[in-house]
Amino acid sequence: QVQLQESGPGLVRPSETLSLTCIVSGGSMNSYYWSWFRQPAGKGLEWIGRISTGGSTNYNPSLQTRITMSLDTSKNQFSLNLSSMTAADTAFYYCAGRDYSGGYYTHWGQGTLVTVSA
Amino acid sequence: EIVLTQSPATLSLSPGERATLSCRASQSVSRYLAWYQQKPGQAPRLLIYDASKRATGIPARFSGSGSGTDFTLTISSLEPEDFAIYYCHQRSNWLTFGGGTKVEIK
C-alpha cells in the first residue's frame, strides 16, 4: 500500500520560495505520475503540477512561471518549489500519486498547512 | 480552463435518505469525470471515476452517471459516515475541480 507524507515549513515569508517534499513509502515510485495539489481553508482543490518517474513535468498554466518540480527515485521522494509566495498562496498542500494506467489520483498525503505571513 | 459548477452548495438530509449531487462542466469532458469525498482534516478519497465506475472498496450505495457536460453523483441511502464534502473533478483538459457540495445532517 503506497503511502505519502508531505514535509516542509509551515510558515513562509512573502516573496520567498516554498519548498515541500513528499516521501513515498510502501511501494516503488516507478510507473506513477506524482502531483501537487493545494486547497485554501474552506475552499476547493487546485492542481499545481505533476512529474513522471521519467522526469517529465506538466504545470498548471496559471502557476507555471513560479513552479519547479523534481524527483529522486533513489530516495523515494519528489519535491515542489513555488517562488514569489504571497498571502494568496496560503493553503493546505497535498502530494498525490496515480499509476500510468489509471487516470485519477488514488494515493494522497495527509496534507500540510502552509501560511504566508511576515 | 474547464470550469466545473456543482449544485447545490449544501444538501441537508437525514440518514437513510437519498442524496443527488450535480456537476456541470463549461465544455464537454466526455466521461473523464470523477467524484471525490473529503472529510474534515482528511485528504480527498476517490469514489467514482470515468463518470460511473466505482473505485476500489467504495460501497454500492454510491453511483455516478452522465457524460459530456452534465453529471450526477447519487448516494442511495445515506450512512452516518457519508456526511462530508463532495467534489467533482475532470481530467479531459488539464485538471480542475468543482467548488464542492457539502452533505450535512438535517
Side-chain angles (χ1 to χ4, degrees):
Chain A
Q1 173 76 350
V2 173
Q3 294 185 313
L4 290 79
Q5 179 65 57
E6 305 89 351
S7 65
L11 179 66
V12 176
R13 302 199 185 282
S15 80
E16 291 188 342
T17 295
L18 169 67
S19 294
L20 293 175
T21 297
C22 183
I23 297 174
V24 181
S25 60
S28 170
M29 290 190 73
N30 292 331
S31 301
Y32 269 73
Y33 287 113
W34 303 101
S35 271
W36 290 96
F37 297 84
R38 68 181 183 178
Q39 184 176 36
K43 297 189 177 180
L45 291 144
E46 178 181 36
W47 173 70
I48 297 171
R50 81 172 187 191
I51 187 166
S52 71
T53 47
S56 63
T57 55
N58 298 96
Y59 299 147
N60 185 322
S62 68
L63 297 168
Q64 65 180 10
T65 60
R66 301 169 52 203
I67 302 171
T68 305
M69 292 181 64
S70 61
L71 86 169
D72 186 340
T73 55
S74 67
K75 294 182 179 179
N76 263 32
Q77 65 185 42
F78 62 103
S79 300
L80 167 71
N81 281 358
L82 184 62
S83 64
S84 306
M85 295 284 283
T86 71
D89 297 310
T90 294
F92 287 92
Y93 285 74
Y94 294 95
C95 59
R98 69 164 179 91
D99 63 44
Y100 283 169
S101 61
Y104 305 91
Y105 287 84
T106 53
H107 304 290
W108 293 74
Q110 283 300 297
T112 186
L113 177 61
V114 176
T115 301
V116 183
S117 175
Chain B
E1 174 182 314
I2 295 178
V3 177
L4 299 178
T5 302
Q6 291 187 241
S7 61
T10 304
L11 203 49
S12 298
L13 295 168
S14 300
E17 288 193 295
R18 183 185 188 90
T20 303
L21 289 67
S22 294
C23 177
R24 175 164 289 179
S26 59
Q27 63 190 76
S28 176
V29 298
S30 185
R31 294 182 62 83
Y32 297 124
L33 187 112
W35 292 90
Y36 283 87
Q37 177 194 66
Q38 189 177 33
K39 296 180 180 179
Q42 296 185 15
R45 178 175 73 141
L46 181 66
L47 300 175
I48 300 289
Y49 67 97
D50 289 346
S52 62
K53 300 175 183 177
R54 270 190 304 277
T56 302
I58 300 304
R61 64 181 181 273
F62 291 92
S63 63
S65 64
S67 65
T69 61
D70 290 294
F71 299 86
T72 300
L73 173 69
T74 301
I75 311 171
S76 59
S77 178
L78 283 164
E79 297 288 338
E81 62 268 27
D82 299 337
F83 292 92
I85 299 175
Y86 294 83
Y87 294 98
C88 58
H89 160 62
Q90 67 80 25
R91 69 174 187 94
S92 174
N93 186 310
W94 298 109
L95 304 181
T96 57
F97 292 82
T101 290
K102 181 179 182 180
V103 179
E104 64 175 24
I105 300 176
K106 186 175 182 179

